[in-house]
Amino acid sequence: MHSLRIARKTGIAIAWLMAATIIASAASAQDAAKADEGAIKYRQSLMESVGGDMASIGNILKYGLPLTGNIVVHAEGLASHAKLVGSAFERKVSAGRTDAQPAIWEKADAFKEKVKAFETETAKLVEVAKAGDPAALGVQMKATGKSCGGCHDDFRKPKEESFKRAGGGDE
């Protein structure tokens, strides 16, 4: 009888331990999923900021807007954001509501080179913008755009495969 009670208590203790382990595993999986979602959302908002500054400079130049003084601020924003791109992709998340391709992590050195080129071109853009030469600014904007697009060509899903195009746009 005594050994039956010990066995029953041991069984209950094991059941509680297993339940605690399952709950902890589920919480850990939820934490990982939340972190993945956060990483994706962060990357997307960072890229929207980059796109916004690129578009703003482009619109000032294209339409001859009397906002040339703003170009330096947008260029500085681009240069600052360029420095964040590499860290935005440290967490490997290529599934779900993202256009990031696995090649970012499979070809990490090539990705880092592209990011470094973007950083270099945005830093040059700041200097050219400060100098105020519209012709040089146009040339540097093209170089900056090319360095930005270089990452897109190799490391972003094609537009046809974009999660936004597949009905998974922003919420």
Side-chain angles (χ1 to χ4, degrees):
M1 190 73 144
H2 179 66
S3 54
L4 186 59
R5 273 194 216 140
I6 292 173
R8 189 176 291 154
K9 286 182 180 181
T10 303
I12 292 171
I14 291 172
W16 276 109
L17 181 60
M18 289 176 62
T21 302
I22 291 169
I23 291 169
S25 295
S28 178
Q30 286 175 344
D31 289 346
K34 187 174 182 177
D36 287 352
E37 178 184 8
I40 290 170
K41 287 187 179 284
Y42 175 78
R43 292 190 312 225
Q44 290 168 348
S45 61
L46 177 62
M47 294 304 148
E48 287 171 8
S49 296
V50 167
D53 281 326
M54 288 288 288
S56 295
I57 294 171
N59 288 331
I60 292 168
L61 297 175
K62 180 179 178 180
Y63 297 106
L65 299 176
L67 303 171
T68 54
N70 294 4
I71 292 174
V72 172
V73 176
H74 288 296
E76 289 172 339
L78 275 169
S80 294
H81 292 121
K83 293 175 186 175
L84 304 175
V85 172
S87 65
F89 289 89
E90 287 177 358
R91 186 171 185 90
K92 182 182 176 182
V93 187
S94 60
R97 300 171 45 83
T98 180
D99 288 335
Q101 291 197 52
I104 292 170
W105 301 278
E106 294 165 358
K107 300 176 183 177
D109 290 341
F111 178 71
K112 288 176 185 172
E113 285 177 26
K114 298 274 186 175
V115 170
K116 186 65 178 162
F118 183 54
E119 290 177 20
T120 299
E121 294 304 327
T122 58
K124 289 180 189 176
L125 183 64
V126 171
E127 296 308 312
V128 172
K130 287 179 178 178
D133 177 357
L137 186 59
V139 169
Q140 188 55 42
M141 271 297 287
K142 286 181 184 174
T144 302
K146 186 176 179 181
S147 70
C148 185
C151 254
H152 294 185
D153 294 342
D154 298 333
F155 300 107
R156 184 177 74 174
K157 292 176 187 171
K159 287 186 181 191
E160 305 80 45
E161 297 175 25
S162 170
F163 78 93
K164 290 179 183 178
R165 194 168 281 222
D170 297 334
E171 293 181 351

